[in-house]
Amino acid sequence: MANLGTTELDVFRLCLGGNVFGWTADETDSFAVLDAYAAAGGNFIDTADTYMRPNMGVSETIIGRWMAARGNRDDIVLATKVGSDGGLSAGNIREHAEASLRRLQTDRIDLYYAHKDDLDTPVAETLRAFDELVREGKVRHIAASNLSAERLRESLDVSWREGLAEYVALQPHYNLVEREGYEREYAPVVEEHNLACLPYYALAKGFLTGKYRPGGPDVESPRSKGALAYLDGRGERVLAALDQVAAERAAPVAAVALAWLSAQPGVVSPIASARSVEQLEALLPAVGLKLTDEELATLTEASA
Ligand SMILES: NC(=O)c1ccc[n+]([C@@H]2O[C@H](COP(=O)([O-])OP(=O)(O)OC[C@H]3O[C@@H](n4cnc5c(N)ncnc54)[C@H](OP(=O)(O)O)[C@@H]3O)[C@@H](O)[C@H]2O)c1
């Protein structure tokens, strides 16, 4: 477990991505994945009001039904998001927060994200709306995703100046084959403000599981086009380095990729999804896998 930035929340060092629930995993398979994750000690679930378009809200509904069926709401650190449907105006945040709470069958969201920026709404309006939800106890902490580094800094400044709730975590696009944007733009803000970094697409849409190979068999997934885009010279070097470390450590390739991410400065818990229990089983070993400096360097150099 790890502390979520400056908060009192303790989270498992693998956050379970929820965009598969009701998309590539039906409700029965979603419950099985959630049960297996919880049985392994997992307590940190990520979703959004828009998962998964066009069936918006279905992921939250499934998670809500699962927590109600298992009676485990208090054991879970629940993260959801607002803003990719209708923006970050005060009215839209209020309306979407209430709808998320209903679908999740709970009275509070532990970590509530601005999902993407809304350049038509001043950051002060967004933060005042979030702050109201925090003061009402409907949200415990707020976080940001997909804001420019500049708007993220501006938001942190406004919260500080106005005494409003402030972003405690950042959810960036960051993994072994997507490094530059995060490491150059965001890592300095994360360090300066002690933000918890919770990277999304931690498996690069499945590429970092090693199932996409040159001349390999077709992969049945709506993500395959996005994942295959990484299969270039650098992607092949990354796969070779992952294969080497995975063989030495007798660990799944996906777990090694997640362990590399977990070892980066500021990263608290990478976010990855699994559409079946079998897939999840290849991710869970990441939690106990501490890579040596040499192994980390091999992976970092291969992905440069
Ligand atoms: N803030 C944002 O804007 C944003 C954007 C994207 C995602 N997210 C969050 O981040 C989470 C993680 O991203 P993601 O789920 O889109 O992608 P990901 O974690 O990079 O990739 C997960 C996918 O890889 C495949 N996979 C997982 N384990 C596997 C295994 N052992 N063997 C073979 N294939 C395996 C599965 O897809 P297939 O079986 O279909 O190949 C799985 O759904 C999401 O669920 C969501 O909560 C946030």
Side-chain angles (χ1 to χ4, degrees):
M1 302 296 272
N3 205 244
L4 190 83
T6 54
T7 76
E8 76 293 357
L9 300 172
D10 257 342
V11 293
F12 194 61
R13 296 212 60 199
L14 173 66
C15 177
L16 187 63
N19 66 4
V20 285
F21 303 143
W23 178 35
T24 52
D26 64 17
E27 185 156 335
T28 305
D29 290 342
S30 301
F31 270 43
V33 168
L34 286 157
D35 281 338
Y37 174 73
N43 74 338
F44 193 15
I45 301 174
D46 183 83
T47 184
D49 56 350
T50 46
Y51 291 168
M52 192 55 189
R53 278 192 164 97
N55 302 322
M56 296 207 293
V58 175
S59 170
E60 287 184 335
T61 300
I62 289 176
I63 293 165
R65 286 191 191 139
W66 175 75
M67 291 189 301
R70 303 297 182 256
N72 63 359
R73 170 65 188 94
D74 291 345
D75 303 330
I76 300 295
V77 174
L78 186 58
T80 191
K81 314 186 190 79
V82 62
S84 79
D85 176 35
L88 295 172
S89 67
N92 201 56
I93 288 178
R94 168 65 55 175
E95 196 183 305
H96 280 71
E98 300 289 357
S100 285
L101 287 167
R102 276 195 300 277
R103 285 190 292 266
L104 290 162
Q105 302 188 41
T106 184
D107 58 356
R108 67 198 184 282
I109 294 161
D110 299 309
L111 193 62
Y112 200 31
Y113 285 96
H115 199 162
K116 58 184 255 213
D117 210 346
D118 170 2
L119 297 175
D120 296 327
T121 302
V123 294
E125 175 179 336
T126 298
L127 291 162
R128 285 183 203 129
F130 277 144
D131 186 70
E132 250 179 49
L133 291 167
V134 171
R135 277 187 285 112
E136 290 167 16
K138 292 182 173 174
V139 164
R140 285 172 81 181
H141 296 284
I142 59 169
S145 187
N146 304 312
L147 265 61
S148 69
E150 191 190 352
R151 291 269 285 186
L152 177 59
R153 281 186 197 279
E154 184 189 344
S155 302
L156 291 161
D157 284 350
V158 167
S159 289
W160 186 78
R161 269 204 315 275
E162 297 199 16
L164 301 170
E166 62 184 26
Y167 294 139
V168 297
L170 175 70
Q171 185 175 137
H173 187 180
Y174 183 35
N175 60 50
L176 204 38
V177 285
E178 287 283 354
R179 291 178 45 199
E180 203 195 332
Y182 174 77
E183 290 177 2
R184 195 188 53 225
E185 301 275 319
Y186 294 96
V189 194
V190 163
E191 190 187 349
E192 195 182 319
H193 291 270
N194 276 320
L195 301 180
C197 174
L198 307 166
Y200 71 76
Y201 282 152
L203 294 170
K205 306 173 188 172
F207 179 75
L208 294 171
T209 65
K211 69 179 173 181
Y212 296 90
R213 301 281 178 168
D218 285 351
V219 172
E220 265 299 313
S221 168
R223 303 163 178 280
S224 57
K225 197 163 164 243
L228 275 167
Y230 293 111
L231 197 51
D232 54 12
R234 185 177 68 126
E236 286 187 44
R237 284 195 297 281
V238 169
L239 290 178
L242 284 169
D243 287 342
Q244 182 194 321
V245 176
E248 282 164 13
R249 298 298 294 265
V253 163
V256 174
L258 295 173
W260 176 87
L261 201 48
S262 279
Q264 303 311 306
V267 173
V268 171
S269 190
I271 312 173
S273 69
R275 65 156 105 175
S276 65
V277 172
E278 193 190 13
Q279 286 191 348
L280 180 71
E281 278 165 1
L283 314 187
L284 288 168
V287 174
L289 185 61
K290 190 163 169 17
L291 299 178
T292 64
D293 289 347
E294 199 182 318
E295 288 163 342
L296 289 170
T298 299
L299 295 164
T300 302
E301 278 159 27
S303 65

